[in-house]
Amino acid sequence: MDTLMILGIILFIAGFILIAIEMVIPGFGAPGISGIACLIAGVFLTADSVAEGAFITVIVLALLGIMMAVIVWLLSKGKIHSPIILEEEQKKDEGYISSTDLDYLLGKKGVAETDLRPTGVGNFEGVNFDVISEGKYISKGTNLEIIKVNGSKLIVKEQ
């Protein structure tokens, strides 16, 4: 083995490690770009001909596919910590609400913070919500009442 072959193998190893880091940490940043550069340089340093370079590229792509499948499997089983998965629970008593929990607003009275054309912002008990009028224009400052809750949509009428 000559020096170029050893350097090519080191670049392959570094490239696979950097791409694995990029697969676990989302985004297209420095590890991904560096890993791609290492793999391309490794192909150029280890291949003696164009045909051999193409063969090595196919092998590298196959290994990347296998590596991606393994990492996705490990992430789905929870064996690797993923920074994009929310681990703490969002509880109602801590102030988190889902769109299905907006039924408590039915019948509440408030004020239009913006013009409703037919959508805008309404203030109910000091909290701003995106609201939809019954289909007509309502000017800013008008008193509102929530008459219907449809998922996360709050339907209001002029009071």
Side-chain angles (χ1 to χ4, degrees):
M1 279 188 147
D2 60 339
T3 308
L4 287 178
M5 183 68 74
I6 293 172
L7 182 60
I9 292 171
I10 291 171
L11 285 172
F12 277 131
I13 293 170
F16 281 118
I17 291 171
L18 289 168
I19 298 260
I21 291 170
E22 187 70 29
M23 287 179 184
V24 174
I25 301 171
F28 194 74
I33 294 169
S34 302
I36 290 169
C38 286
L39 291 176
I40 291 171
V43 169
F44 279 111
L45 289 176
T46 56
D48 293 328
S49 66
V50 175
E52 190 175 323
F55 181 71
I56 292 171
T57 301
V58 169
I59 291 173
V60 166
L61 291 173
L63 289 174
L64 285 173
I66 292 168
M67 186 171 71
M68 184 173 147
V70 168
I71 288 176
V72 167
W73 180 78
L74 290 173
L75 285 170
S76 69
K77 297 296 181 189
K79 299 190 188 278
I80 297 178
H81 171 72
S82 175
I84 62 172
I85 295 175
L86 182 65
E87 292 186 3
E88 64 268 2
E89 189 176 334
Q90 297 180 337
K91 298 177 183 173
K92 188 185 254 185
D93 58 344
E94 294 174 359
Y96 296 103
I97 59 170
S98 74
S99 63
T100 58
D101 290 343
L102 296 178
D103 290 334
Y104 75 94
L105 292 170
L106 194 59
K108 296 281 184 186
K109 295 174 182 16
V111 179
E113 290 288 312
T114 63
D115 291 336
L116 297 150
R117 309 177 185 191
T119 63
V121 177
N123 187 305
F124 300 89
E125 298 178 353
V127 180
N128 287 342
F129 291 98
D130 291 327
V131 294
I132 303 170
S133 72
E134 288 181 298
K136 65 178 191 167
Y137 175 85
I138 299 176
S139 60
K140 178 180 177 180
T142 305
N143 290 328
L144 302 173
E145 180 181 357
I146 298 175
I147 58 169
K148 185 177 180 184
V149 177
N150 187 6
S152 63
K153 295 179 187 174
L154 300 174
I155 314 298
V156 296
K157 72 174 183 178
E158 192 172 346
Q159 191 183 23

